[in-house]
Amino acid sequence: MNIIVPIKMVPDLVDELEINEDGTDLDRDFLSYKLNEFDDHALEEALQLKEEGDATVTVIAFDGEETDKALFTAIAKGADNAVKITGDFEEGTASHVLAKALAEAIKGMDYDLILTGVQAADDRDGQVGVLLANYLGVPHVSVVSGVTLSGNTATVHKEYAGGMMAEFEVDLPAVLGIQAARETPRYAPVSRVRQIMRQAELEEVEVGDVDVNVGSEVRRMFTPEAGEGAEMIEGDAEEVADKILEILKEKGVR
Amino acid sequence: MNQDIFVVAEHLKGSVEDVTYELLGKGRELAGSTGGKLVAVLMGSGAEGLAGSLGAADKVIYVDHPALENFNPEAYAAALADVVKANNPGLVLVPNTSMGMDLAASLSVRNDLPLVAYAIDVAIDGGNAVATSQLYGGKVNAESVLEGDTVAVSVLAGSFPADAGKKDGAPDVEKAAAPGELDNLKVRFKQLIEPEGGDVDITAQEILVSVGRGIQSDENLPMVEELAEALGGAVSASRPIIDNKWLPKTRQVGKSGLKVKPKLYLCLGISGAPEHIEGMKDAELIIAINTDESAPIFEHAHYGSTEDLFDIVPALTEKLKG
């Protein structure tokens, strides 16, 4: 069983996000990047599947900010191989382009299962996992939080609203968009990651220009006014607590 | 862009989901600008009767096949692709829900048409569809122009009022043939799994104290329980808390959790990702405490504070206990 996990770095949402001068993208000069949290769940689920059976896990990512670190971290967590895609795929590249390039990089590989994060904070033109499945011509199920493998099929749970789930049986190879792994994604100690960086090597695959019609362009990017809706309560914790009590009384909640 | 506006109807357990009405309402307005028809695409098995609930549409295109009885990512994507190919609409509106996420991107690749996702608004401008997407956890909006004769937009649930899309009427039903692909599927629906019965039904609570990542550790939950008790309410949570197994799934508010409408929704350390907002924005009174002043939750809250929740919670509890 060969499992591939494409991972992607996204801007750290804890930071203040600013818009560039054209007003069409983030100002990426001072952004810090981190692994898309759903991809971390996809990796965890892959590692769980590896641990309960016989599987190899290959992590693949586009070269860019923090990519090497994320790939080495994945190895430190238990992934077997790490592949870096080089080419012209800078941060903010459209999902369609990334998915097509991933398909180019993956199609020659021997794989049974591809686990992606269900979505990313910046996939404006669609979720990469489903696009990738369609470019590869394999089945897909997204919003998955439960994978069981048996022979050439996977039994998966897809989440609906209200806590409802649907169970599907999927013939492999397939792409699953992981919403949540069965366990909280594991942590790799920094010392271990450093050690891996000295020992392990990243395989590199070059992908040239891909032929895909994105068909949409951002003409304006903007931050919705923060605090627009909320009346901000000033003061220290005691004062805020007093004010909250006052509001509750006024609104008849107390 | 062509003129007709297509809406993919989402249904579950024999009823049409609200998001369908939200899209029909918006679709009606857009069809007004393009001068085209508003068409609902319904896929199911013996589900033709649901067309009667889609009175806001001028026409319903219905595809019937046993494999379409329940949502199936592969079967629905194949059927939708055929319908769109045969009819050449201008704009296909797909809900950006669990089901819609499998459909929209598939449609985009299968039919080679542009897709913009996470839309909270859609307009027609200069003959093109323009979609406003909510990105970066709700911190940034992007307005995209879609170019092509047929384009697709997936729209977040709750973006438009459902009432505008609920109309009596019996639209014409046009039956479309199911693609042959449906007889040989690689994805097979097995069963629906109902949510487990909860310890507390958070949808029935008038007061919810809801915790997010900012709570940092499950060791801090008792403090929040105490506050909820002092207020006479219950504790609910955002997704990360449930994924960490700090609280059961029955306490989850949001897209894949529960939709709540309490009198008071006090959120502690919740950033307000769109998936969470979808589940609580209709609460009567929303008070948000988060040290990140740019947290999107403050756009939806009535009152907010950036003071530390670890200071406010005990202070408030003490005052309530008086």
Side-chain angles (χ1 to χ4, degrees), chain A residues 53-97:
Chain A
D54 186 21
T56 60
V57 175
T58 300
V59 182
I60 185 165
F62 290 93
D63 195 11
E65 297 269 356
E66 301 291 318
T67 299
D68 286 13
K69 192 175 142 204
L71 289 172
F72 284 122
T73 303
I75 294 177
K77 288 178 173 184
D80 301 280
N81 310 298
V83 180
K84 182 161 75 172
I85 303 176
T86 58
D88 192 11
F89 305 102
E90 60 186 22
E91 285 78 18
T93 297
S95 299
H96 282 73
V97 175

Side-chain angles (χ1 to χ4, degrees), chain B residues 91-148:
Chain B
L91 169 65
V92 184
L93 296 175
V94 185
N96 199 110
T97 53
S98 178
M99 297 184 198
M101 275 164 85
D102 275 309
L103 290 182
S106 294
L107 177 66
S108 174
V109 177
R110 282 173 183 256
N111 296 38
D112 192 21
L113 50 86
L115 165 68
V116 169
Y118 310 100
I120 51 170
D121 200 7
V122 191
I124 307 290
D125 184 3
N128 287 318
V130 176
T132 306
S133 309
Q134 196 170 46
L135 303 177
Y136 301 103
K139 283 194 160 186
V140 173
N141 290 350
E143 209 174 81
S144 309
V145 183
L146 294 101
E147 280 174 18

Side-chain angles (χ1 to χ4, degrees), chain A residues 11 26 38 58 62 65-66 93 128 132 143 161 177 213-214 251:
Chain A
L26 297 180
F38 297 109
T58 300
F62 290 93
E65 297 269 356
E66 301 291 318
T93 297
V128 170
L132 171 64
V143 202
N213 167 31
V214 178
K251 304 275 177 189

Side-chain angles (χ1 to χ4, degrees), chain A residues 231 243-254, chain B residues 285 303:
Chain A
E231 179 184 318
K243 177 71 182 169
I244 290 176
L245 273 184
E246 203 179 296
I247 296 164
L248 297 186
K249 280 189 187 129
E250 196 182 302
K251 304 275 177 189
V253 183
R254 291 258 350 135
Chain B
L285 174 63
Y303 296 92

Side-chain angles (χ1 to χ4, degrees), chain B residues 165-194:
Chain B
K166 287 182 181 163
K167 232 179 96 186
D168 291 337
D172 290 343
V173 179
E174 176 186 311
K175 287 192 182 172
E181 197 181 331
L182 268 52
D183 296 320
N184 187 19
L185 293 170
K186 292 179 176 135
V187 181
R188 293 167 294 277
F189 172 85
K190 303 306 276 186
Q191 59 171 332
L192 278 180
I193 302 167
E194 299 283 342

